[in-house]
Amino acid sequence: MSTPSAICSKCGASVDWGRIFCGKCGTSIRTPAPLLPNSNQEPSAKLKPWYKFSARPVILFLGMYGFGFLLFRFDISKHHPFRYPMSNRNAAVYGLALTIGVFLYQKWVEKD
C-alpha cells in the first residue's frame, strides 16, 4: 500500500512518494537532482587520477626486458651455463626475472 505524498498541480492526481514526474500527465513534481557534478566548479574540486603515468619507466622496463631476453636467448655474454641457443620461453622467463630484479633493486636503492 503506497501513501500519496503530493498532488499534481496540473491534473490533481495523487503522486507516490519519491516520484519526480506525475504518472498521469508528466508534470514535474519536484526538481530532479543532477547525476553528474556541475562542470563550472573550480579546477581543484575536480577528481584527480589515482595514478601518475610516465613513459620513462615503461621504456626502461621494455628495454631491460629486451636486453635480458637477448642475453639469455643468444648467450651474448658467453659465460652462463645454459645450452646455446636457449628456447624462447626460457629466455623470456629469465629475461623477465632479471628485469624485475633490477627494478626492485633500483627502488630499494632509491629509498635510502
Side-chain angles (χ1 to χ4, degrees):
M1 171 173 25
S2 63
T3 58
S5 64
I7 296 179
C8 177
S9 61
K10 186 173 182 181
C11 68
S14 62
V15 181
D16 292 336
W17 181 84
R19 298 265 182 171
I20 298 173
F21 301 103
C22 175
K24 188 173 181 183
C25 67
T27 303
S28 176
I29 303 298
R30 62 183 173 95
T31 308
L35 298 177
L36 297 174
N38 191 356
S39 62
N40 296 335
Q41 294 176 348
E42 296 178 15
S44 61
K46 290 186 178 180
L47 295 175
K48 295 180 181 170
W50 58 271
Y51 64 91
K52 205 161 106 178
F53 179 76
S54 176
R56 184 174 181 223
V58 174
I59 292 170
L60 287 174
F61 185 85
L62 292 176
M64 265 308 266
Y65 177 69
F67 174 74
F69 175 80
L70 292 175
L71 175 73
F72 287 110
R73 176 68 172 100
F74 297 111
D75 194 15
I76 295 171
S77 63
K78 300 283 189 217
H79 30 357
H80 56 71
F82 305 116
R83 63 184 170 86
Y84 177 78
M86 183 182 284
S87 71
N88 284 337
R89 184 184 54 125
N90 287 350
V93 170
Y94 287 127
L96 187 61
L98 174 71
T99 304
I100 291 172
V102 168
F103 267 83
L104 290 177
Y105 176 75
Q106 179 187 6
K107 292 293 182 186
W108 180 65
V109 168
E110 285 178 0
K111 177 176 69 169
D112 295 336

